């Protein structure tokens, strides 16, 4: 059984699909589908919700995931904490390690991720340095607990802008599909995913670049920090996408439709 916990990275934000719970698909759904093709008895649960901090993942998702008695637990958490400059990185990573230790102690194999070296606007450069610190500690923790590691940091294809959604912080559909292939490689599972890198975007003039940067700051960065000031998140009203185990071999869109219909019949 494959259980996934974490934040928007694992929920699937950027890989939009209105037919699936929370309107997203994501790399974890794609991995689950391939596992189901290999063995129809595989089960899958995804408790990840966008915007969650590490302590929320631990408090709200970890124990429910472990109660499912999974074979593999994937976790990417802490990315939202890195954006908070007052957050102590040493304390953050100690909590992260305790979480991984609990997964290993429960008899599941942890599947961990480093964070990508996103090319950020100079105003966000301190976040990049904190990301380096996060990655080094994740690698050490993976060795300590014999965890599987997807070293996202070094995947050069993600320098292609087409691998990112318009906010530049979440992967696009192409990015999620490519990530699924990396995860399956680490798991040692063959897959039928057809990968195609997006075409490079046309060269822009300095004036166009400046205009695009201004739009990005206005539409994405400023609202993000505004939500942090107001202490609200995009995940406040959301519930886990697949809180109970499903068999991906049965078709996740079919299962989602059945769930939507069941909810409609109760309302």
């Amino acid at each position: 059984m494959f259980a996934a916990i974490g934040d928007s990275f694992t929920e699937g934000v950027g890989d939009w699909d209105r037919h699936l719970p929370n309107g997203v698909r994501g790399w974890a759904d794609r991995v689950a589908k391939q596992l189901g093709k290999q063995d129809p008895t595989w089960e899958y649960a995804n408790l990840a919700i966008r915007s969650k901090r590490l302590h929320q993942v631990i408090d709200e998702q970890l124990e429910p995931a472990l109660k499912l008695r999974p074979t593999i637990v994937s976790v990417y958490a802490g990315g939202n904490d890195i954006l908070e400059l007052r957050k102590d990185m040493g304390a953050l990573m100690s909590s992260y390690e305790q979480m991984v230790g609990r997964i290993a102690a429960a008899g599941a194999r942890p599947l961990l991720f480093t964070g990508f070296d996103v090319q950020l606007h100079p105003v966000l450069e301190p976040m990049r340095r904190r990301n380096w610190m996060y990655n080094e500690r994740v690698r050490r923790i993976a060795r300590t607990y014999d965890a599987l590691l997807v070293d996202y940091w070094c995947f050069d294809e993600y320098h292609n802008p087409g691998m990112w959604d318009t906010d530049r912080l979440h992967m696009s559909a192409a990015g999620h599909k490519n990530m699924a292939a990396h995860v399956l490689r680490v798991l040692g599972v063959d897959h039928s995913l057809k990968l195609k890198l997006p075409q490079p975007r046309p060269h822009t003039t300095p004036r166009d670049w400046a205009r695009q940067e201004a739009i990005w700051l206005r539409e994405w960065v400023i609202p993000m920090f505004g939500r942090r000031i107001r202490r609200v998140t995009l995940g406040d009203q959301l519930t886990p996408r697949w809180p109970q185990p499903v068999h991906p071999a049965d078709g996740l869109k079919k299962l989602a439709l059945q769930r939507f219909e069941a909810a409609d019949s109760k309302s």
Side-chain angles (χ1 to χ4, degrees):
M1 193 229 159
F2 167 40
I5 62 175
D7 54 27
S8 57
F9 174 84
T10 303
E11 185 190 0
V13 172
D15 188 4
W16 306 106
D17 191 325
R18 62 186 179 84
H19 299 292
L20 290 167
N22 295 357
V24 294
R25 186 178 185 185
W27 67 265
D29 275 23
R30 295 173 184 274
V31 166
K33 181 178 178 180
Q34 295 298 316
L35 292 174
K37 285 185 175 181
Q38 294 282 328
D39 181 352
T41 65
W42 265 98
E43 292 182 308
Y44 166 54
N46 189 332
L47 288 80
I49 296 178
R50 66 197 73 176
S51 305
K52 294 298 182 182
R53 275 59 166 181
L54 176 63
H55 75 274
Q56 293 171 309
V57 172
I58 294 171
D59 293 344
E60 301 167 10
Q61 301 177 23
L62 179 58
E63 195 58 36
L66 295 181
K67 284 182 178 178
L68 302 176
R69 303 175 65 85
T71 309
I72 298 168
V73 177
S74 76
V75 54
Y76 181 92
N80 291 307
D81 300 87
I82 291 172
L83 296 174
E84 299 177 1
L85 293 179
R86 290 177 293 181
K87 180 79 70 173
D88 180 82
M89 289 297 294
L92 176 72
M93 297 314 297
S94 292
S95 295
Y96 180 99
E97 182 165 2
Q98 292 172 16
M99 172 186 64
V100 175
R102 286 175 62 184
I103 293 171
R109 189 86 182 271
L111 172 64
L112 311 181
F113 298 80
T114 57
F116 186 64
D117 187 21
V118 179
Q119 303 300 306
L120 296 172
H121 189 280
V123 73
L124 299 178
E125 189 63 24
M127 315 302 179
R128 193 177 181 194
R129 292 193 293 272
R130 289 164 68 82
N131 191 35
W132 296 341
M133 297 167 61
Y134 175 91
N135 288 344
E136 283 304 305
R137 189 70 180 273
V138 167
R139 292 186 185 105
R140 263 190 292 164
I141 292 169
R143 291 192 294 269
T144 299
Y145 293 93
D146 191 29
L148 298 165
L149 178 65
V150 180
D151 205 348
Y152 188 13
W153 169 269
C154 61
F155 296 162
D156 287 341
E157 67 269 27
Y158 284 90
H159 289 295
N160 183 329
M163 301 291 271
W164 298 91
D165 199 15
T166 51
D167 65 2
R168 306 185 192 174
L169 294 174
H170 296 100
M171 294 180 292
S172 64
H176 277 279
K177 181 184 284 189
N178 193 71
M179 181 57 63
H182 279 295
V183 171
L184 290 162
R185 174 182 54 79
V186 169
L187 293 175
V189 175
D190 293 332
H191 64 81
S192 58
L193 296 173
K194 293 179 171 58
L195 304 178
K196 184 178 180 181
L197 292 180
Q199 290 295 317
R201 294 174 183 171
H203 178 73
T204 59
T205 66
R207 177 179 293 181
D208 287 339
W209 178 86
R211 181 176 59 82
Q212 291 168 5
E213 291 296 299
I215 293 172
W216 176 67
L217 286 169
R218 183 177 69 248
E219 295 186 354
W220 296 106
V221 178
I222 294 174
M224 177 181 68
F225 283 104
R227 288 191 296 271
R228 288 178 180 273
I229 292 171
R230 299 193 307 275
R231 297 184 180 275
V232 298
T233 78
L234 295 175
D236 286 345
Q237 305 303 317
L238 297 178
T239 57
R241 302 183 58 240
W242 303 108
Q244 299 300 323
V246 295
H247 286 93
D250 295 336
L252 292 177
K253 287 191 176 181
K254 178 181 177 181
L255 293 170
L257 179 60
Q258 292 172 351
R259 196 164 97 180
F260 295 152
E261 290 175 342
D264 287 341
S265 67
K266 293 179 181 178
S267 61

